[in-house]
Structure formats: C-alpha cells, structure tokens
Amino acid sequence: MGFSRRIRLSAEQVAVVCALGELLTVIDEFGTLALVVCASALLALSLRRRLPVTALCATLPATVTGHLLLPSMITMYAVASSRPQGRALWPCGLLFAAALRPWPLSALAEMTRTDLLIALEMAALLSIGPTALGLLARARGETQAQLARLKVSQAREQRLGAEQAVIHERARLARDMHDTVSHHVSIIAVQAGALWAVETDPDKRADVESIRRHGVQALEELRDMVGVLRGSRVLVAATAGRPVLADLPRLAADSGLDVTADLPALAERSWPPVVETTAYRIVQEALSNVRKHAPGASVALSAVLSEDHGALVLEVRNGPAPHRREDAGLPAGGHGLVGLRERAERLGGRLTAQPSADGGFLVRAVLPMVKL
C-alpha cells in the first residue's frame, strides 16, 4: 500500500471518529427522530466504500433535520472519489438541497435574506467541499496509476533498447568474425589447393586435400553461424550447417588420428537434432584436444545407448602420447571442456573429463532424449 493511500485511509478514519463524536452535540435533544436519523447515518458509514450512493442517501435525513452533518460529508467524499466527475454531480446536488432545506419546513417563512445567504453558503460548503476533495483524490489516484503504467512502459522500452543494442553489437561482431576468420581460412584453402596441384607424392596430396577440404568446410560452417548471429538465414543454418551423428565416422577418419569407432547408437534409433549436434561437437572438441595434447595417441570412440535406452552415452578415450609432445603453437583458451559441459547440461545431461589410469584421457557424456 502506497504512502499517500495510507494517509488517505487514516484521514477517513479520523473523520469517522469525528462523526461519532458529533453525537455529543445532539445528546441533549435525543428523541425518537434523532435516534432514527442518527443511527441510520452512522450505520451508513460502513457502506460508504461498497455502496457509496446508498450510504449518502441514508445520511441525508440527519442532514435535513440538522442533527448530524459529518456523515453526509464523509459519504459524499466516498461518492466523488469512486465515481467519474459527471456521475458525482447529481449526488452533490442532492446533498446541497438537503443541506439547504430548513427544518422544520415552517421555518422557511421566517428566514430573512441574510439567513438565506448563510444557508446557501453552508449548503455549498457541505456539498461542494467534500465533492471537490473526492474528485481530487480520484484524479490523484488515476494520475499515480498512469505514472505507474508509464514507468512500466519506460522500463520495457529501455529493455527493448538494450536488446536492440545487443542485436546490433552481435551483428557487428558477426561481420568482424566473418571478415577476419574467412580471410585466413580462405588463404589456407587456396594455398592448399595450389599445393595439391603441384604435389606428386600421393600421401602428401591426400594430406593437402584434407587441409583444403577442412578449410572449405570451416568456411561453410562459419557462414551459417554468422547468418544466425546476424538474424538471417536461420532456417538454412538450422539444417545445412548442423552436423549429425551420421557424420561421426567421417569426422573420425578426417581427424588424422588412429581412431577405433564403435557406434551402434547411430543405427539403433533416431535422435533429436539438438542432441545429434551436441554429440558431434563433443566428439569434435575431444578429438581436437587429442591432436593438441597427445598427438599420435590411439583413440577409442564409442556411442551407445544407456542401459535404460533413454540416453546417448558418448566416450572418447585416448591413450598416452607415444612421444613427448612438441608445442605446435595452437591456441588453447581453456574453454573447450567448459563449453562441452554447458552444452550437455543445457540438455539435462552431464559430461565428465578426467585422466585415465594408463596416462591417457577420457571424455564421457550422457545426453538424454530431449525435444527442444
């Protein structure tokens, strides 16, 4: 509850207490008429929020007889603060007439012009005063509600602006990445093609062709990823640029490592595309780590179903390097395994990577069947 609303409710409570205290002004002339009109006026105060117009009408007899004035003023405030301005005018006029009418009616003949002017002023104060305060409170409440909506709208606009800025920055990074990486990879692919054309040794030609083929594949995947980052060609990237489990044998063959593959899961069931892509990237990164840290080591690759047939279990196990590794100058940011764990965890799976007892290394991932 807002501070201004608490003050408003407190002021109403004080006014109700004052209305009860107003009984002390008529206690000496308390009779049947006073009992009826005062009781109905005071009881009507409890209805001022649910039935404000009904409560006002119940307080008018006490105003006409002059026994109590505050109950009608309080209920008039409730009417004006809960109804639009146009619908609050006739209750205000009704209260004005009740406050202006003398009691008893025979007193009208004895009123002088001065008495009539005073009666008009009193009636105006009794009716217009609480009406104006009620309309002001209503307008203030509507203004605060509008300000709250404006704040929400402003926060939403700021959030959308921040998201738009991120999109623009992502597009800029995508352009820079495409321009920089594609330049270097294109040079590698072109030079590999030129070397293949002049090389006569079959083994070397095969190696050069592998370099060229990997360069071309890297350019294609880079183009697809850049299309996603720039918000275009999403459907193309989701299909053409997304590797599948069926590509694992070719990945193992092109890795340049001594890989023994056992992949029964490829033929036993179909997997969601996101699972297949994640599995492929895990194997790809694991084989890259073997080339960096244990070149020449034998590798055992397996992809099987779990015992309950609810998950895909991948293992990439390599033995120790046959000779001491020389630094090839390859970049290693240390984020590869972290990224693999994040990929697996996003699917609700898990990934472990740890040295094995024979001095090699084991990467094991369990990827559940998901539909994302």
Side-chain angles (χ1 to χ4, degrees):
M1 184 182 297
F3 180 70
S4 60
R5 180 172 173 80
R6 288 197 298 268
I7 293 179
R8 174 183 167 186
L9 292 178
S10 299
E12 286 191 42
Q13 293 168 357
V14 171
V16 171
V17 172
C18 291
L20 295 174
E22 194 179 9
L23 283 173
L24 298 177
T25 62
V26 297
I27 194 169
D28 293 336
E29 52 184 74
F30 219 68
T32 303
L33 179 61
L35 177 62
V36 172
V37 298
C38 292
S40 62
L42 294 176
L43 291 175
L45 290 176
S46 61
L47 301 175
R48 68 187 187 278
R49 292 196 180 93
R50 290 179 296 173
L51 302 169
V53 176
T54 302
L56 175 64
C57 293
T59 62
L60 292 181
T63 302
V64 171
T65 60
H67 287 91
L68 294 178
L69 302 179
L70 285 178
S72 59
M73 298 176 68
I74 295 172
T75 52
M76 186 64 240
Y77 172 86
V79 171
S81 62
S82 61
R83 297 163 68 89
Q85 181 176 351
R87 297 177 61 188
L89 293 180
W90 71 265
C92 177
L94 192 61
L95 176 56
F96 178 83
L100 181 62
R101 184 174 183 177
W103 184 265
L105 291 178
S106 58
L108 181 60
E110 303 174 359
M111 293 181 65
T112 64
R113 189 177 68 172
T114 302
D115 294 334
L116 182 59
L117 291 175
I118 292 175
L120 286 171
E121 291 177 0
M122 292 295 296
L125 289 174
L126 288 175
S127 57
I128 298 177
T131 302
L133 289 175
L135 292 175
L136 179 62
R138 177 180 174 82
R140 179 181 175 84
E142 292 176 348
T143 301
Q144 290 178 339
Q146 182 66 20
L147 287 176
R149 288 192 293 269
L150 288 176
K151 289 182 180 179
V152 172
S153 177
Q154 184 180 22
R156 182 171 62 251
E157 291 295 330
Q158 290 177 348
R159 184 174 65 253
L160 291 176
E163 292 175 356
Q164 192 67 27
V166 170
I167 292 174
H168 289 316
E169 181 65 14
R170 187 175 64 177
R172 185 190 67 79
L173 292 175
R175 289 192 300 269
D176 292 346
M177 182 177 68
H178 178 270
D179 295 341
T180 302
V181 179
S182 63
H183 169 73
H184 295 293
V185 177
S186 297
I187 292 177
I188 294 174
V190 170
Q191 290 183 345
L195 183 61
W196 179 86
V198 300
E199 182 60 55
T200 58
D201 186 280
D203 293 335
K204 291 183 178 179
R205 283 172 63 91
D207 292 338
V208 172
E209 171 61 19
S210 177
I211 294 173
R212 187 197 65 80
R213 187 172 65 253
H214 281 291
V216 173
Q217 182 179 356
L219 286 175
E220 292 176 351
E221 294 186 3
L222 176 63
R223 184 178 62 251
D224 293 332
M225 286 186 290
V226 169
V228 172
L229 289 175
R230 299 186 64 178
S232 62
R233 304 177 65 252
V234 177
L235 295 179
V236 175
T239 55
R242 174 173 283 177
V244 295
L245 287 175
D247 297 329
L248 286 182
R250 182 165 59 87
L251 175 65
D254 292 343
S255 65
L257 298 169
D258 180 15
V259 181
T260 302
D262 181 20
L263 309 171
L266 273 62
E268 291 183 5
R269 69 183 301 176
S270 60
W271 297 90
V274 66
V275 175
E276 295 201 9
T277 301
T278 301
Y280 183 93
R281 295 305 183 194
I282 289 174
V283 174
Q284 186 181 48
E285 179 66 20
L287 294 178
S288 297
N289 287 337
V290 174
R291 286 195 300 270
K292 292 178 183 179
H293 306 292
S298 60
V299 181
L301 168 63
S302 65
V304 299
L305 291 174
S306 60
E307 294 181 358
D308 58 359
H309 288 202
L312 174 66
V313 180
L314 286 172
E315 284 192 1
V316 181
R317 183 191 301 269
N318 65 273
H323 50 78
R324 184 174 179 179
R325 180 180 68 89
E326 296 181 359
D327 188 3
L330 297 176
H335 302 294
L337 293 179
V338 175
L340 296 185
R341 288 192 180 94
E342 291 175 351
R343 283 178 177 269
E345 291 172 357
R346 278 199 298 269
L347 301 182
R350 62 184 185 276
L351 182 140
T352 57
Q354 57 189 10
S356 56
D358 60 356
F361 203 81
L362 170 65
V363 176
R364 186 175 190 272
V366 179
L367 304 178
M369 169 71 81
V370 295
K371 296 180 180 181
L372 297 178

